[in-house]
Amino acid sequence: MAAAALCWALRAAGQVLPSSCPRQVRSYYVDWRMLRDVKRRKMAYEYADERLRINAIRKNSILPKELQEVADKEIAALPRDSCPVRIRNRCVLTSRPRGVKRRWRLSRIVFRHFADHAQMSGVQRAMW
Amino acid sequence: KDKSAASKDSTPEGAAKRQEDGAETPKQQLLDIIGNMKVEVSYRKKLQQLKASESKKQARNKLEGLDSESSVPRGVTEGTQRLNPELVKAASAVASSLPRNKKQTESELLAQLRRHEETTDKQKKGGTINIRNVISEMTVKRQSPEQWGARISGRISLQLDEDGQRARPERSSAQMDSRRSLKVGKRLNIFTKTSTEPEHALKTVSSPTIWDLEFAKQVAAVTAQPPRNGFEEMIQWTKEGILWEFPIDNEVGMEDDAEFHEHIFLDKHLEGFPKEGPIRHFMELVICGLSKNPYLSVKQKVEHIEWFQKYFEEKKELLQEI
């Protein structure tokens, strides 16, 4: 997520890193699906507070039901990409939607690749 | 004043002579002679001062003597109040002693005295820039040939003595210089005080132009060298914000200056709501939940409550139907 956000920031700002710094920079997302996922995450962040408050009115036994029905309609009127349910935790490097470990945000294949090359700190082949 | 000028001319010549003598003899004798030179010059200055004071006293005594001789006070003395009455009497006595027209000479002398008085008054007030004062300050520099000698002697003595001794003569000479230059405090009035602070304040507000920013960016880009090792790389990352600062501070972004009572007692924000009914009940529950929330700042909590207030005000008509 952090790396995706960084890439988004780079694309948006059009920054150019200093030429003397020889660092690998990811200036594009892996694929369009990843881009859409990034958009959804952004929107969900923007509308999070409102959604929370309207839901607090909806999921209520105290307030009158008419009010809750109005709140239902309101929340349905919000943009579709603003709901957090549509976010998919994809692999950060390959954009694989399945087989992604949440702690590393990597798909199983990438994780295995890095772990075998000893590039994952504190990760070891299990043997017992 | 003439005496001091004459002495100034004599002392550099004397110093030059002594320096030549010192260069010929071996080191120890040179050190002694340089030491003696310093003492002599200072003694000479003291003598000069004594002589000046004595001459002043003698002049005063002479004037007083003249006053006692001339018993008749002139009408002129009453008119000229500024001038020293002793000087006036002295002028009259001098005029009487000269063979030419006495009254003319006396008036001329009095005019000269008046001019002197004016200049002295101006000097006292600090109006004129007396070059003599500026040059008098330069008497400090007369010491320099001796002090060069002292420094050279100090360096020579380094080779002979230990390091502890080297610091002392240099320090003492520096202190002497500072004492002479800083605390001899006659104002020369060469420069006028200008208060430049408001100008500076205005400048700093309007100065960061786009060109300045671009220039600054260019300079930063040019001077930014690639990191030589992992440590420098990590430093660069920390500056950019990629790497956190260790030891990790959990409250880096948050700057909550509010006290605990502002977080917990949120009843005062409930003033816009009706005092009875389900809405009040609902809002009290909301406040209860917010008071237990450690993750939001007070500002965010207040915004939360205000949003609800706005929402319920919009729905007032609907609520009244119910």
Side-chain angles (χ1 to χ4, degrees):
Chain A
M1 180 59 199
L6 183 68
C7 297
W8 175 267
L10 281 172
R11 277 177 110 246
Q15 262 181 10
V16 177
L17 281 171
S19 55
S20 60
C21 207
R23 205 187 297 156
Q24 237 184 10
V25 178
R26 186 177 296 279
S27 42
Y28 299 101
Y29 287 113
V30 178
D31 55 8
W32 289 94
R33 282 172 285 175
M34 192 190 236
L35 209 169
R36 276 184 267 143
D37 193 58
V38 167
K39 276 196 223 167
R40 281 181 206 124
R41 280 165 194 268
K42 259 195 94 183
M43 280 208 85
Y45 181 79
E46 278 174 49
Y47 284 92
D49 290 336
E50 241 184 271
R51 284 194 100 96
L52 172 76
R53 287 156 192 170
I54 296 172
N55 268 325
I57 293 170
R58 282 173 66 218
K59 314 283 178 181
N60 221 331
S61 53
I62 306 162
L63 294 174
K65 286 186 186 173
E66 290 83 0
L67 195 62
Q68 286 172 4
E69 281 164 22
V70 169
D72 282 338
K73 286 173 200 166
E74 267 190 29
I75 204 167
L78 288 177
R80 203 162 266 191
D81 271 353
S82 64
C83 62
V85 187
R86 299 188 99 209
I87 294 168
R88 182 80 196 185
N89 290 325
R90 289 177 164 270
C91 169
V92 162
L93 294 178
T94 54
S95 180
R96 199 163 193 272
R98 297 191 174 98
V100 180
K101 280 314 252 177
R102 202 164 198 166
R103 185 171 167 184
W104 296 277
R105 301 174 186 178
L106 293 174
S107 89
R108 54 183 178 80
I109 305 154
V110 179
F111 174 81
R112 236 176 79 95
H113 177 266
F114 283 136
D116 289 340
H117 287 76
Q119 283 162 4
M120 297 292 280
S121 172
V123 174
Q124 198 189 24
R125 278 193 156 262
M127 190 174 8
W128 73 98
Chain B
K1 292 166 195 168
D2 297 328
K3 279 175 192 170
S4 63
S7 60
K8 277 178 210 172
D9 297 328
S10 61
T11 40
E13 289 167 19
K17 279 185 193 170
R18 300 301 162 111
Q19 270 197 332
E20 284 170 13
D21 291 331
E24 288 167 13
T25 54
K27 285 177 189 175
Q28 287 280 326
Q29 291 181 6
L30 179 129
L31 288 168
D32 293 332
I33 284 161
I34 288 164
N36 288 336
M37 263 161 51
K38 266 196 194 173
V39 172
E40 275 182 64
V41 168
S42 61
Y43 186 58
R44 205 169 277 162
K45 262 211 157 182
K46 283 180 190 170
L47 280 174
Q48 283 170 32
Q49 287 170 6
L50 282 169
K51 279 182 195 169
S53 60
E54 280 176 15
S55 64
K56 278 181 197 168
K57 282 180 192 170
Q58 283 171 12
R60 289 257 160 145
N61 289 333
K62 276 185 195 167
L63 287 170
E64 285 172 2
L66 286 168
D67 292 338
S68 62
E69 284 175 11
S70 65
S71 59
V72 182
R74 302 266 173 146
V76 187
T77 57
E78 293 170 2
T80 56
Q81 286 175 5
R82 264 204 213 164
L83 292 174
N84 204 352
E86 298 169 349
L87 289 171
V88 169
K89 286 169 190 172
S92 62
V94 166
S96 59
S97 62
L98 288 170
R100 288 179 212 168
N101 194 0
K102 292 176 190 177
K103 283 203 177 176
Q104 216 182 17
T105 50
E106 205 195 299
S107 61
E108 280 172 13
L109 283 167
L110 288 169
Q112 278 248 324
L113 283 169
R114 260 176 247 144
R115 265 176 256 159
H116 279 299
E117 281 292 331
E118 279 175 28
T119 52
T120 49
D121 284 339
K122 269 189 193 175
Q123 278 173 26
K124 276 174 197 171
K125 286 168 195 172
T128 54
I129 300 165
N130 202 356
I131 299 169
R132 279 205 191 98
N133 287 341
V134 179
I135 293 166
S136 71
E137 282 290 309
M138 316 234 293
T139 54
V140 178
K141 295 227 167 173
R142 279 198 296 116
Q143 287 279 315
S144 55
E146 288 83 22
Q147 274 176 352
W148 291 337
R151 276 171 210 161
I152 290 161
S153 70
R155 274 173 224 157
I156 293 161
S157 63
L158 207 181
Q159 291 163 13
L160 300 170
D161 310 334
E162 297 167 6
D163 281 345
Q165 288 213 355
R166 175 206 189 190
R168 268 183 248 150
E170 282 192 10
R171 250 186 242 161
S172 61
S173 62
Q175 278 175 2
M176 285 275 282
D177 281 337
S178 63
R179 260 181 248 148
R180 282 174 179 276
S181 56
L182 290 176
K183 296 188 183 177
V184 175
K186 207 175 187 184
R187 284 220 143 187
L188 303 171
N189 290 320
I190 298 169
F191 303 109
T192 51
K193 247 189 186 180
T194 50
S195 58
T196 53
E197 276 186 40
E199 292 176 25
H200 279 305
L202 287 168
K203 271 184 188 173
T204 50
V205 166
S206 60
S207 66
T209 60
I210 300 167
W211 304 115
D212 292 338
L213 291 168
E214 277 302 310
F215 181 66
K217 275 188 203 170
Q218 245 185 350
V219 164
V222 165
T223 53
Q225 296 295 317
R228 297 177 294 179
N229 50 35
F231 290 117
E232 290 196 9
E233 199 183 31
M234 284 206 277
I235 291 167
Q236 210 171 355
W237 283 347
T238 313
K239 279 183 199 169
E240 288 176 27
I242 297 167
L243 202 61
W244 284 344
E245 283 179 28
F246 295 97
I248 290 179
D249 183 17
N250 279 325
E251 296 169 5
V252 168
M254 298 162 40
E255 279 183 30
D256 216 4
D257 304 326
E259 299 285 312
F260 74 98
H261 56 84
E262 288 174 47
H263 276 97
I264 293 168
F265 303 115
L266 298 159
D267 264 345
K268 57 190 172 197
H269 303 292
L270 276 191
E271 284 163 16
F273 295 93
K275 293 210 175 175
E276 286 181 349
I279 293 175
R280 183 78 182 192
H281 189 33
F282 173 74
M283 286 315 295
E284 277 173 15
L285 286 174
V286 165
I287 273 165
C288 180
L290 281 177
S291 66
K292 292 181 190 175
N293 190 336
Y295 303 107
L296 296 179
S297 66
V298 176
K299 216 180 165 187
Q300 284 170 321
K301 290 181 186 177
V302 170
E303 274 173 21
H304 198 83
I305 296 167
E306 278 172 10
W307 185 92
F308 274 113
Q309 198 170 14
K310 249 195 288 175
Y311 183 82
F312 286 126
E313 276 191 24
E314 283 169 19
K315 310 294 169 186
K316 249 188 186 178
E317 301 149 6
L318 186 75
L319 293 168
Q320 273 155 16
E321 285 171 30
I322 302 162

